[in-house]
């Protein structure tokens, strides 16, 4: 159990993912200064409900990711722009409101890779889906994309797939909280199948005369 400064945001952070933040509230200036001085991370945790980042109306999820500060740009009035990178998943076991910012008693975890045959099977399904997903995005943006840049190992695929996915926070949070690598890869396959189909339809909508026929009342 550790005391980890928590930053509630409308963002889901994954290990290996970069995060850019503008720090302007006094409580978070204090928190980030402490993290910089002590060379320690802070935790990013998704707000479940409520508009405020911290307070009685804000409710957060119980799984987040630590963020290591890698770049700081100092601004007037002690404001800062920071760049951080995600490191470790954690579960919140308790909260401490004794400081201006939130502290969490957290337990670190990583998805277990205890079913390697399933990991390889899901990885073989996931890689072409990631490639197709990125090909659609690259075509829309009129940029080149090299599919050989996509890794082949299941764990690396899971990491990059989670970072690249343009989905809602509920889906991303579900990915972050998975306990096993096989479960994570399986969920990524399901999400990428759906998102690739929807993305293709959104960027290349059917013609006006497209007709799939009448619907049954049953």
């Amino acid at each position: 159990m550790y005391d980890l400064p928590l930053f509630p945001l409308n963002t889901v952070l994954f290990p290996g993912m970069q995060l850019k933040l503008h720090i302007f509230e006094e409580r978070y200036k204090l928190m980030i200064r402490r993290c910089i001085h002590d060379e320690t991370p802070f935790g990013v945790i998704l707000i479940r409900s409520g508009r405020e980042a911290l307070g009685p109306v804000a409710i957060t999820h119980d799984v987040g990711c630590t963020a290591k500060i890698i770049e700081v740009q100092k601004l007037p009035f002690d404001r800062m722009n920071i760049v951080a990178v995600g490191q470790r998943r954690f579960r919140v076991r308790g909260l401490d409101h004794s400081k201006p910012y939130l502290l969490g008693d957290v337990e670190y975890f990583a998805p277990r890779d205890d079913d390697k045959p399933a990991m390889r099977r899901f990885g073989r399904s996931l890689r072409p889906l990631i490639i197709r997903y990125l090909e659609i995005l690259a075509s829309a943006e009129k940029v080149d994309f090299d599919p050989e840049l996509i890794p082949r190992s299941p764990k690396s695929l899971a990491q990059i797939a989670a970072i690249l996915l343009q989905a809602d926070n509920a889906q991303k949070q579900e990915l972050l909280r998975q306990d096993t690598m096989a479960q994570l890869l399986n969920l990524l396959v399901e999400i990428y199948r759906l998102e690739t189909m929807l993305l293709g339809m959104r960027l290349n909508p059917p013609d006006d005369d497209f007709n799939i026929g009448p619907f049954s009342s049953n």
Side-chain angles (χ1 to χ4, degrees):
M1 307 290 281
Y2 303 85
D3 286 331
L4 180 70
L6 296 180
F7 205 146
L9 294 169
N10 286 308
T11 299
V12 178
L13 183 67
F14 292 100
M17 176 179 169
Q18 278 199 0
L19 176 68
K20 296 181 180 180
L21 293 172
H22 175 61
I23 309 300
F24 62 94
E25 288 190 64
E26 291 300 325
R27 56 190 169 185
Y28 294 120
K29 289 193 288 187
L30 178 65
M31 185 186 83
I32 295 301
R33 283 198 298 266
R34 171 194 160 181
C35 292
I36 293 170
H37 180 269
D38 296 343
E39 297 184 345
T40 55
F42 61 94
V44 172
I45 194 159
L46 178 65
I47 299 172
R48 187 190 298 271
S49 64
R51 291 179 298 175
E52 299 295 330
L54 182 65
V57 298
I59 301 174
T60 63
H61 287 265
D62 62 350
V63 172
C65 181
T66 62
K68 178 183 178 181
I69 300 169
I70 60 173
E71 187 176 329
V72 180
Q73 178 190 17
K74 294 185 178 180
L75 301 171
F77 307 108
D78 289 331
R79 296 188 177 197
M80 291 171 277
N81 289 329
I82 67 169
V83 179
V85 61
Q87 290 188 307
R88 304 170 70 186
R89 289 171 168 84
F90 63 83
R91 290 188 181 89
V92 177
R93 300 303 189 188
L95 295 174
D96 180 355
H97 296 269
S98 62
K99 294 186 178 295
Y101 51 85
L102 196 61
L103 286 170
D105 290 330
V106 304
E107 180 180 67
Y108 295 110
F109 76 101
R112 303 184 306 275
D113 53 351
D114 51 359
D115 190 346
K116 294 187 182 298
M119 289 170 55
R120 289 192 293 268
R121 184 171 69 253
F122 293 132
R124 286 192 297 268
S125 297
L126 179 59
R127 189 172 187 272
L129 289 170
I130 298 174
I131 291 173
R132 179 56 185 152
Y133 184 78
L134 294 178
E135 284 176 343
I136 296 173
L137 290 175
S139 176
E141 297 293 331
K142 295 181 172 57
V143 297
D144 294 329
F145 163 65
D146 183 2
E148 290 304 314
L149 295 175
I150 303 302
R152 296 181 183 273
S153 73
K155 294 177 75 170
S156 296
L157 277 171
Q159 182 180 35
I160 194 171
I163 292 172
L164 292 173
L165 183 63
Q166 298 181 14
D168 60 53
N169 281 335
Q171 287 179 308
K172 292 182 178 181
Q173 184 66 27
E174 190 63 23
L175 291 171
L176 189 69
R177 67 180 303 110
Q178 294 302 305
D179 289 319
T180 73
M181 191 59 64
Q183 290 173 340
L184 175 57
L185 286 161
N186 185 26
L187 184 56
L188 281 164
V189 169
E190 294 177 0
I191 293 175
Y192 264 85
R193 278 177 178 159
L194 177 61
E195 290 298 319
T196 300
M197 180 186 69
L198 294 176
L199 183 62
M201 293 177 63
R202 185 161 63 247
L203 296 178
N204 299 286
D207 295 333
D208 291 340
D209 59 354
F210 178 74
N211 189 350
I212 61 174
F215 286 97
S216 168
S217 60
N218 295 320

